[in-house]
Amino acid sequence: MSDAVKNRADTRAAIVESAAGLLREGGPQAVTTRGVADRAGVQAPTIYRLFGDKDGLLEAVAEHVMAGFVSDKAAVVAAATAADADPLDDLRTSWRKQIEFGLANPAVFRLLSDPERVLGSPAARLGRQILEKRVHRLAAAGLLRVTEPHAVDLIQAAGVGTVQTLLATPAALRDPALGEAMMDAVLSRILTDAPAEGPSGPRAPAVALRALAPQLEMLSPSERQLLVEWLDRIAESPA
């Protein structure tokens, strides 16, 4: 790496870190060009040259903060998988951390809750992939009675909605049990042991076998593909 490229990267990192601090302390309105420039020790034109405008800088900051959080989540998933930890406990722990992160970083959460920003966010995509891995572990353990994509969508939608509801409520009036109640509601919909829904019929075994299908090397690729199609049809069928 040339000195010029390294200096540019270092300058960019210093600006993002400075803006992140201002964002945490005072929200998006605190992230002014002058304030960021003063804290980072750069000239204002440098910010425009590297980020285009304030919105571009905010996107970079949100991505930076979210990427750090997602990186920690990825490490936790790897450790839980290696230790063969209970997949349901792992999901609950992840859910709580996600709610805590959203409440602790409201500006970042709101920025990345914008559908257009999410579509272009590598950190958001990686976060979904990590959730997919957690849900896959539930399916492989025979605990899931809906398809993996449907379970991921439900969990993600419930998480975003929970944080948005709590952030829209004055801190003193927030229901501290809302997060756990919402998690229980989602789990009652996606898990095989949901008493309110009755027996799950063939769907739970189909979902579990679907999670393991790629590992069935005794079958040819075309046979595995056909098996996956059959299992998806069973898993997506009405109860």
Side-chain angles (χ1 to χ4, degrees):
M1 180 184 295
S2 69
D3 289 343
V5 172
K6 184 178 185 301
N7 289 340
R8 180 184 175 90
D10 289 345
T11 299
R12 191 180 194 282
I15 292 171
V16 169
E17 288 286 355
S18 298
L22 291 171
L23 187 66
R24 283 192 299 270
E25 295 163 11
Q29 66 274 11
V31 185
T32 64
T33 302
R34 174 175 293 183
V36 174
D38 288 346
R39 181 173 288 201
V42 301
Q43 298 297 316
T46 303
I47 297 176
Y48 292 112
R49 186 171 67 252
L50 291 176
F51 301 96
D53 54 21
K54 178 180 175 178
D55 194 52
L57 175 58
L58 285 173
E59 285 193 16
V61 170
E63 188 69 21
H64 170 73
V65 175
M66 186 66 177
F69 174 64
V70 170
S71 178
D72 291 342
K73 288 173 64 177
V76 171
V77 170
T81 302
D84 199 24
D86 182 272
L88 184 53
D89 288 344
D90 181 40
L91 178 64
R92 282 189 176 277
T93 299
S94 171
W95 170 271
R96 295 184 188 112
K97 290 182 180 297
Q98 185 73 39
I99 302 301
E100 291 170 0
F101 174 83
L103 296 180
N105 299 273
V108 171
F109 176 82
R110 291 187 176 104
L111 284 169
L112 290 178
S113 293
D114 181 338
E116 293 185 1
R117 293 182 192 271
V118 169
L119 289 175
S121 168
R125 287 196 297 272
L126 180 57
R128 183 177 174 90
Q129 291 169 8
I130 292 170
L131 176 57
E132 289 170 349
K133 290 180 180 179
R134 285 192 160 101
V135 169
H136 180 75
R137 293 184 66 222
L138 289 174
L143 299 176
L144 208 61
R145 67 185 186 91
V146 300
T147 63
E148 292 180 44
H150 187 54
V152 169
D153 285 344
L154 285 173
I155 294 169
Q156 194 166 50
V160 171
T162 298
V163 175
Q164 286 180 334
T165 298
L166 290 171
L167 288 177
T169 305
L173 301 178
R174 291 174 186 169
D175 179 2
L178 180 63
E180 291 300 313
M182 185 61 76
M183 179 84 274
D184 289 340
V186 172
L187 293 178
S188 73
R189 176 68 182 88
I190 69 175
L191 296 184
T192 57
D193 59 352
E197 298 293 336
S200 57
R203 289 191 299 176
V207 171
L209 184 55
R210 170 66 174 81
L212 300 173
Q215 304 171 25
L216 302 178
E217 296 183 357
M218 71 287 296
L219 301 178
S220 69
S222 58
E223 288 172 335
R224 288 197 295 271
Q225 181 59 41
L226 182 58
L227 176 61
V228 165
E229 291 177 6
W230 287 343
L231 293 172
D232 281 345
R233 193 180 307 169
I234 295 170
E236 293 169 1
S237 65

